[in-house]
Amino acid sequence: MPTLLQTIAQARPLIAKARAGGATVGFVPTMGALHSGHAALMQSCRRECELAVASIFVNPTQFAPTEDLERYPRTLESDLEICRQAGVDLVFHPTPREMYPNGLASTFVETPAFSSILEGAVRPGHFRGVATVVLKLFAIIQPDVAYFGQKDFQQLVVIQRMVDDLRLPVEIRAHPTAREADGLALSSRNRYLNAHERSSAPALYQSLVRARAAVQAGLKNGDRVRQILRETLESTAGVVTEYAEVVDDRTLEPLDNLEGRSAIALVAARLGSTRLIDNLYLRE
Ligand code: PAF
């Protein structure tokens, strides 16, 4: 089993010792409820770094008041087993008090260019919570390399921008989205879907694949691509579209014309009480 660390005071000297011995420190931050997408991040971390550190912390500040903080799955035993199989050395699993000693409404980090659009428009305060906790985790673990999934694409953009703006000495490595055989992106929230919702859930990926095929066949008009995304989502029983966008992959600015742009499609939909998101590059 990996060494389980619950306090910053336990984690810092162990990591400092490895670093002093010349180890490259790799880090995979998670909220637990681990699946094979997380395992793939951890395996890369294991392969590419001498010390592989993961964190498991359900971060309260990234949940809006209406969201599922209490309901969020907590599966520490099986998470630790996944960390073990992936060869993780250390798992940092702090309490909320350890991470937020002065309460949740304390110092925070914000990336204004990205925090109130797309996911940020639906989930006010979410990216402030993500950026804040990731910065705290970076300050504690001081990784050389940190791994994130492309599935949470806007999160990746927010974190990369924070690292650039604050000149943090950490390299962000993104991993392709892990999927079920029918295309559904792996997510800790998939476990909330009932059988009917689960059978409709691949519509997100299907909408993206159709949009990509149209773009590869020459379509350049952004609104037409949005329409293709929406048509697929809205023709699937039980799927309520929240947004279906085509944006520049660096600025997240909506695109009217895809010509010469690195374009990514982003979709979010509700199935019953569960929100799912997905994305796919249309043009790189
Ligand atoms: O992607 C997640 O699981 C979380 O947003 C993260 C990056 C671990 C921050 O809590």
Side-chain angles (χ1 to χ4, degrees):
M1 274 291 173
T3 305
L4 184 62
L5 306 162
Q6 284 178 304
T7 65
I8 298 167
Q10 288 169 328
R12 279 212 169 113
L14 279 181
I15 297 168
K17 190 165 163 229
R19 184 190 311 286
T24 303
V25 180
F27 178 43
V28 183
T30 81
M31 299 212 300
L34 302 181
H35 50 64
S36 49
H38 296 110
L41 298 177
M42 291 174 185
Q43 285 154 9
S44 293
C45 180
R46 171 70 292 156
R47 254 194 327 273
E48 295 164 11
C49 305
E50 278 92 31
L51 186 74
V53 184
S55 63
I56 298 176
F57 178 61
V58 182
N59 172 35
T61 62
Q62 70 189 76
F63 290 77
T66 52
E67 287 181 340
D68 54 353
L69 172 63
E70 294 314 320
R71 188 188 174 214
Y72 199 83
R74 286 152 172 92
T75 55
L76 186 62
E77 286 311 306
S78 64
D79 290 348
L80 289 175
E81 178 55 22
I82 289 172
C83 294
R84 186 190 69 75
Q85 283 172 15
V88 168
D89 298 305
L90 306 177
V91 175
F92 181 55
H93 177 53
T95 59
R97 194 175 176 74
E98 184 73 358
M99 292 301 286
Y100 293 96
N102 298 312
L104 300 182
S106 53
T107 307
F108 64 82
V109 188
E110 181 113 52
T111 51
F114 305 124
S115 55
S116 56
I117 55 171
L118 299 162
E119 282 300 284
V122 186
R123 309 179 67 188
H126 172 68
F127 288 115
R128 170 197 281 195
V130 169
T132 301
V133 82
V134 170
L135 183 64
K136 283 168 181 265
L137 290 165
F138 283 177
I140 295 163
I141 309 296
Q142 298 184 26
D144 298 290
V145 187
Y147 296 81
F148 293 87
Q150 194 194 298
K151 167 157 166 284
D152 294 305
F153 188 79
Q154 191 173 355
Q155 166 171 287
L156 193 58
V157 172
V158 164
I159 289 166
Q160 186 62 64
R161 176 59 67 91
M162 173 182 79
V163 165
D164 292 347
D165 284 348
L166 301 183
R167 297 294 201 218
L168 302 179
V170 53
E171 181 194 333
I172 304 300
R173 292 195 189 149
H175 244 250
T177 302
R179 299 184 180 281
E180 301 282 4
D182 61 8
L184 175 64
L186 296 193
S187 162
S188 307
R189 293 193 165 91
N190 292 351
R191 67 188 74 195
Y192 300 146
L193 301 170
N194 65 29
H196 181 64
E197 292 159 354
R198 174 64 188 81
S199 68
S200 296
L204 280 81
Y205 183 60
Q206 285 156 9
S207 73
L208 296 165
V209 169
R210 280 190 196 150
R212 184 180 59 185
V215 170
Q216 285 174 349
L219 182 66
K220 297 194 176 67
N221 182 294
D223 280 341
R224 180 68 196 115
V225 179
R226 289 178 191 94
Q227 198 184 344
I228 292 173
L229 293 167
R230 282 193 174 273
E231 275 166 12
T232 312
L233 292 168
E234 281 155 21
S235 64
T236 311
V239 176
V240 178
T241 312
E242 273 190 353
Y243 59 79
E245 255 307 345
V246 183
V247 299
D248 178 276
D249 71 335
R250 279 170 22 103
T251 62
L252 300 186
E253 159 208 355
L255 293 175
D256 294 331
N257 186 340
L258 277 60
E259 182 69 52
R261 305 299 293 263
S262 181
I264 187 161
L266 307 169
V267 292
R270 273 185 194 280
L271 289 91
S273 58
T274 305
R275 257 192 108 240
L276 298 181
I277 58 172
D278 202 351
N279 64 77
L280 198 67
Y281 268 97
L282 303 174
R283 262 169 159 268
E284 281 178 83

